Amino acid sequence: MDLLLDIALLALLLATAISIAWIKDLFAAAMLAGIYGLLSAGFFMTMGAVDVAFTEAAVGAGISPLLIVMTLALCGRYQRADRARARLAIALVASVGAMLIAATVDMPSFGDANAPAHMHVAPHYISESMAEIGIPNIVTSVLASYRGFDTFGEVVVIFTAGLGVLSLLMARAEQPLQASPQTPVEAQSRDIVLRVVAKVLIAPIMLYALYVQFHGEYGPGGGFQAGVIFAVGFILYGLVFGLDAVRKVASHGLVQMLSAVGVLIYGCVGLLSLVSGKNFLDYGALAGNPVTGQHVGIIAIELGVGITVAAVMIMVFYLFSAQLRVRSVQTPATASSAVLPPLDDVQGAEGRAG
């Protein structure tokens, strides 16, 4: 039964990927990308990677398609035909695909207990992590402690990506980020069902994010997953009740500051370890008992991860929304359809870039 389920999911993933590459309606491609993310989440669930699964569901099936749709509202819905570029893309994809297939010949069988990946550090993590780290979730032990340097690098990458988006979009979005009498203000969604459902769901989403944040030591979760879920709650609020409403809860300046605060929390934990005479990110220096120190350090750095991930995603949403507001100011006739296209009229926003 598991084999049939895996085959079905892989077949659906392949069909969805081919449809995304083939279709010229970019809005439909964005929706298919969300379906691809949801199917990927289901595939991760069958493999037992629950934390990766609900991260993929939130990002791949939720936030990413939303940002793509908001981008389409700026640059148009339909893809221009370019046969030369299409041939080049097909040749590149075919070449890389052939190399990947050739590489799988030398790989061990899936699930092989004698695979190199299972013969080196993995046995140590499985047998010794409880005694050394003191928490039952081995995934959290590996990500937050054993390879804490790598996770710190991932957080810095997310922060840097947020800075990149900020530098690209802030120049044109600077004025619309501040409400003014000349700037049209989004009304909340006219759909009463969406407003009621959002009011019912937002509080449980936030509560679940806190649960995932502080329960990552004992079950699937942690800062990355909690940050994504927390951002989803804010973005849902902004989509339904308008950008100005959500900025009253978390201003753009506050979100920018928090994106850096999370990285600083993570880095300061490592500096505290150095000051205590231990190695960087050696949490054992944070308490008299090394295991207790591991608990304290992991909770602190996971909090930093969650803050940075949530703040960067919310900041990107703010910047894209501000770009749509810029477009609505420049083209007042389409202002009502240019603000938050996923909940209003996406078709009214298509093709404005020619």
Side-chain angles (χ1 to χ4, degrees):
M1 184 63 185
D2 290 341
L3 179 60
L4 293 176
L5 181 60
D6 290 341
I7 292 173
L9 286 173
L10 287 172
L12 289 172
L13 283 170
L14 180 61
T16 305
I18 293 174
S19 299
I20 292 172
W22 186 266
I23 198 167
K24 288 183 171 56
D25 186 341
L26 299 179
F27 177 73
M31 297 299 100
L32 287 171
I35 294 173
Y36 188 91
L38 196 60
L39 290 171
S40 298
F43 190 69
F44 290 139
M45 282 291 296
T46 63
M47 299 178 68
V50 181
D51 49 353
V52 181
F54 60 68
T55 303
E56 177 64 27
V59 177
I63 295 177
S64 293
L66 168 64
L67 295 179
I68 294 172
V69 169
M70 297 178 78
T71 304
L72 295 182
L74 295 171
C75 63
R77 174 170 176 172
Y78 291 96
Q79 178 181 356
R80 294 188 179 93
D82 190 340
R83 294 185 179 276
R85 182 176 295 181
R87 294 191 191 97
L88 179 62
I90 291 174
L92 179 62
V93 170
S95 301
V96 174
M99 288 188 289
L100 290 174
I101 292 173
T104 60
V105 176
D106 293 330
M107 292 179 62
S109 302
F110 181 74
D112 185 2
N114 296 318
H118 302 154
M119 300 300 293
H120 298 287
V121 295
H124 177 83
Y125 293 157
I126 294 172
S127 61
E128 303 297 333
S129 66
M130 190 62 189
E132 294 176 348
I133 311 300
I135 60 176
N137 189 352
I138 299 176
V139 175
T140 300
S141 299
V142 173
L143 294 179
S145 184
Y146 286 119
R147 43 167 271 189
F149 280 96
D150 184 63
T151 304
F152 185 41
E154 292 175 359
V155 178
V156 173
V157 167
I158 293 172
F159 174 65
T160 306
L163 289 181
V165 176
L166 183 66
S167 63
L168 288 172
L169 301 182
M170 187 64 177
R172 293 182 59 194
E174 184 174 358
Q175 294 302 322
L177 282 173
Q178 306 297 328
S180 66
Q182 291 78 28
T183 301
V185 178
E186 305 97 321
Q188 64 181 359
S189 172
R190 296 182 294 273
D191 194 326
I192 190 172
V193 174
L194 287 175
R195 296 201 304 269
V196 171
V197 170
K199 288 180 179 179
V200 171
L201 288 180
I202 287 173
I205 288 174
M206 300 298 184
L207 184 61
Y208 182 61
L210 292 174
Y211 171 80
V212 171
Q213 174 72 59
F214 296 106
H215 197 260
E217 297 183 13
Y218 305 99
F224 287 101
Q225 294 81 10
V228 170
I229 297 169
F230 202 77
V232 165
F234 273 84
I235 292 173
L236 176 62
Y237 188 87
L239 287 174
V240 176
F241 299 103
L243 180 62
D244 292 315
V246 72
R247 285 214 321 266
K248 292 179 181 178
V249 180
S251 68
H252 187 74
L254 175 62
V255 170
Q256 289 185 51
M257 182 188 70
L258 289 176
S259 65
V261 166
V263 179
L264 288 174
I265 290 174
Y266 203 135
C268 287
V269 171
L271 292 178
L272 285 175
S273 302
L274 284 178
V275 171
S276 302
K278 299 288 187 178
N279 294 326
F280 187 73
L281 294 177
D282 185 350
Y283 311 136
L286 302 179
N289 187 325
V291 174
T292 303
Q294 291 286 340
H295 280 264
V296 173
I298 289 174
I299 291 174
I301 66 103
E302 290 283 9
L303 180 61
V305 171
I307 291 173
T308 293
V309 171
V312 168
M313 289 194 172
I314 296 170
M315 180 175 65
V316 171
F317 171 73
Y318 283 1
L319 291 168
F320 272 90
S321 299
Q323 284 295 311
L324 292 173
R325 177 173 281 185
V326 169
R327 180 58 60 89
S328 70
V329 172
Q330 294 173 348
T331 56
T334 58
S336 63
S337 64
V339 180
L340 292 175
L343 295 182
D344 292 308
D345 186 8
V346 176
Q347 294 182 352
E350 69 186 34
R352 286 200 298 274

